[in-house]
Amino acid sequence: MKSAVETLDPTKVKLTVEVTYDELKPSIDHAYQHIAEQVTVPGFRKGKVPPRIIDQRVGRPAVIEHAVNEGLSGFYAEAVRENKLRPMGQPAVEVTQVPGLVPAAAGEEGELHFTAEVEVRPEITLPELDSLSVTVDDVEVSDEDVAARLDALRERFGSLVGVDRPAESGDFVVIDLTATIDGEQIDQVSGTSYQIGSGNMLEGLDEALVGLSSGETTTFETELAGGDRKGEKALVSVTATGVKERQLPEVDDEFAQLASEFDTIDELKADLREQAGRIKASNQAVQARDLLVEKLTAEVEIPVPAGVVEAEVHRHLESEGRLEDDEHRTEVTEQAQTALRNQILLDTLAEQLDIKVSQSELLDYLVSASRQYGMDPNTFITTLDQQGQIPAMVAEVARSKALAVALRRVAVVDGSGAAVDLSEFIGTDEEDAAADQADAAAEAAVAADPATDVSSVAFGEDSADEKA
């Protein structure tokens, strides 16, 4: 098979492929076999109809069409591999020549020629990571940070007590709601408890409730957030049937013993300070990651395939039933372009750093993802496998790992210019090397005794490496 690539623009190429008759012949033979099983010809059993009879009854062109349709995807995939392309969308294929439509002597049957235009990942050049630096926020735990965590803990052990006063921000109010449009009642709820300031119901509800005493009613206009009339303006009547405030326990040793394993409030506060410090250190790692992506995208021009963006935008808007919403289309298009640009950047970074995803890393990621969806890990992984999504999951792990490895090469400093150690969150090269040795040993053990392959529980008969 011969193939050639013509670059149409930075994100699109045209493949020209020439397939010899001998290479297409297995597909032609299979076409004859498949058609023989479908047609009924007097004097012949199904599946035993000779090719010459099929040519007479069905026609040689139908056989060739069947063979081309069957073999095209494989020839295209082979051409993509030979030319080391990275397709990002579906190809637009045009068959320009087919083998002879009538039987011919060996060597005279002709060839299959086709072209395929497809959007591909653009080639970009990343700067040397050793030359980059990012500045993250300092890890400073203030007394206010500790107080905020202590108050959050106190709220968990607080109690709601009815009060005889107008409602204030933070109070819990039991409410009855009625929504009307042009005098027609659209919706009604009763006895719902709502915390003023939470903002998780209707826009304008917080403002309406502040100052409202038990038994009082007020109205406000808002946009409905759900139901058949979602997005429409409605007049909402709200009645407060009860006002409660949360009373917090005293900050003392008794509370420390109630809410923690510590005997004194000073010990509890010290632990809360350590927690706040760990969270801020973790936030440093997240900030460094985001800053690195921001710096790389600012320094590298990354063209995005327009067709891939358009397809994603259409899918998104169609799922929301908002294909005609031009304003929302503009917003979703910008988001899709940013996401695709970051994906191209991280895929290139993963290749540059020669990132490899081990079986254990993939399984850890999939198990974690299954928890987010509230699914059994085996069921979740099996579903992904059946949908052909495992390679996409491998790519996600590789992108995340590429960022972690890249951060080890970049200078990460705080506001004072001091180096920041993120190894707790991004690992080290030595840890990766040890993990690779462990994986290699596990693979060797599986090769010696396949019964030791615990991944078969999740991946079925095939190994995780084959799936990846």
Side-chain angles (χ1 to χ4, degrees):
M1 189 184 79
K2 298 179 183 178
S3 63
V5 177
E6 176 187 356
T7 300
L8 303 179
D9 64 45
T11 62
K12 180 180 283 190
V13 299
K14 180 179 180 180
L15 263 175
T16 300
V17 184
E18 299 177 1
V19 182
T20 67
Y21 183 84
D22 286 343
E23 291 169 317
L24 183 62
K25 193 173 186 306
S27 295
I28 295 176
D29 293 340
H30 186 268
Y32 276 118
Q33 180 182 349
H34 184 265
I35 294 173
E37 294 170 349
Q38 303 299 314
V39 299
T40 300
V41 179
F44 296 95
R45 298 195 309 272
K46 277 200 171 186
K48 301 297 183 180
V49 183
R52 61 181 178 80
I53 302 300
I54 292 176
D55 287 345
Q56 293 172 4
R57 294 298 185 95
V58 179
R60 174 80 168 179
V63 176
I64 296 298
E65 180 182 3
H66 188 293
V68 169
N69 289 338
E70 178 188 78
L72 207 57
S73 61
F75 296 131
Y76 166 74
E78 184 179 346
V80 165
R81 287 192 297 270
E82 285 183 352
N83 292 279
K84 298 181 180 179
L85 300 177
R86 305 176 186 86
M88 300 195 71
Q90 294 299 315
V93 178
E94 180 183 1
V95 177
T96 57
Q97 178 181 314
V98 296
L101 299 180
V102 296
E108 299 178 6
E109 301 91 346
E111 297 182 338
L112 167 66
H113 293 184
F114 67 91
T115 62
E117 291 188 10
V118 63
E119 290 184 307
V120 296
R121 197 182 86 198
E123 297 289 341
I124 60 175
T125 302
L126 300 179
E128 292 295 329
L129 295 174
D130 294 343
S131 67
L132 303 179
S133 67
V134 294
T135 302
V136 296
D137 296 335
D138 295 335
V139 174
E140 294 181 356
V141 180
S142 65
D143 292 340
E144 289 76 14
D145 294 327
V146 176
R149 298 187 68 81
L150 183 59
D151 286 343
L153 186 60
R154 291 170 68 202
E155 287 184 0
R156 289 170 51 190
F157 290 87
S159 57
L160 295 180
V161 178
V163 292
D164 185 17
R165 59 166 173 76
E168 301 174 355
S169 181
D171 284 344
F172 288 79
V173 186
V174 180
I175 57 176
D176 296 337
L177 286 171
T178 302
T180 60
I181 297 180
D182 298 330
E184 177 189 358
Q185 182 173 308
I186 302 302
D187 198 5
Q188 181 179 25
V189 294
S190 300
T192 297
S193 179
Y194 176 77
Q195 184 178 21
I196 301 177
S198 61
N200 56 9
M201 286 188 70
L202 295 171
E203 185 176 351
L205 180 59
D206 290 331
E207 294 79 1
L209 289 175
V210 171
L212 209 63
S213 296
S214 180
E216 292 184 338
T217 300
T218 188
T219 59
F220 63 99
E221 190 176 57
T222 188
E223 188 176 283
L224 295 179
D228 296 337
R229 310 293 289 271
K230 178 181 178 180
E232 295 186 39
K233 290 286 187 180
L235 184 65
V236 177
S237 172
V238 56
T239 299
T241 61
V243 179
K244 299 179 180 180
E245 68 177 7
R246 191 196 298 274
Q247 290 188 350
L248 304 180
E250 293 295 327
V251 180
D252 52 24
D253 292 346
E254 184 178 350
F255 171 67
Q257 294 164 17
L258 171 68
S260 71
E261 71 273 25
F262 301 106
D263 294 327
T264 69
I265 191 66
D266 289 338
E267 290 174 323
L268 174 58
K269 286 182 178 181
D271 183 67
L272 293 177
R273 186 176 294 275
E274 289 183 11
Q275 292 180 26
R278 287 195 296 271
I279 290 174
K280 289 201 171 188
S282 175
N283 290 341
Q284 276 188 324
V286 174
Q287 184 184 18
R289 178 200 65 192
D290 294 343
L291 289 173
L292 177 57
V293 171
E294 183 180 317
K295 183 179 285 286
L296 289 172
T297 52
E299 294 194 14
V300 181
E301 183 177 352
I302 306 176
V304 294
V308 177
V309 172
E310 184 179 350
E312 173 58 23
V313 171
H314 182 87
R315 183 202 62 77
H316 184 98
L317 295 179
E318 187 175 43
S319 69
E320 296 182 335
R322 301 174 68 176
L323 286 172
E324 306 303 322
D325 189 337
D326 291 337
E327 183 177 348
H328 188 48
R329 177 179 291 274
T330 299
E331 177 185 354
V332 174
T333 298
E334 292 176 356
Q335 293 172 349
Q337 289 174 335
T338 298
L340 191 56
R341 190 172 290 113
N342 288 344
Q343 177 183 318
I344 293 169
L345 169 70
L346 296 181
D347 286 344
T348 303
L349 183 63
E351 282 190 4
Q352 178 176 301
L353 295 174
D354 194 25
I355 297 297
K356 299 291 189 299
V357 176
S358 69
Q359 177 176 294
S360 59
E361 289 170 330
L362 176 60
L363 285 173
D364 287 345
Y365 176 82
L366 294 175
V367 170
S368 176
S370 72
R371 294 195 185 104
Q372 295 178 9
Y373 287 95
M375 293 179 63
D376 170 73
N378 279 348
T379 302
F380 178 74
I381 295 172
T382 300
T383 301
L384 289 178
D385 193 22
Q386 292 172 345
Q387 296 174 349
Q389 293 298 309
I390 295 296
M393 298 299 102
V394 173
E396 279 297 315
V397 178
R399 292 172 193 135
S400 178
K401 187 174 180 179
L403 265 178
V405 173
L407 282 173
R408 301 173 197 167
R409 313 284 189 269
V410 172
V412 181
V413 298
D414 60 19
S416 64
V420 176
D421 182 8
L422 298 178
S423 58
E424 178 183 353
F425 309 101
I426 63 176
T428 65
D429 292 343
E430 291 75 18
E431 289 173 345
D432 283 354
D436 289 342
Q437 289 179 354
D439 284 330
E443 290 176 6
V446 170
D449 181 6
T452 63
D453 186 8
V454 295
S455 70
S456 62
V457 175
F459 289 96
E461 296 300 325
D462 298 325
S463 73
D465 287 339
E466 288 172 342
K467 295 294 180 186

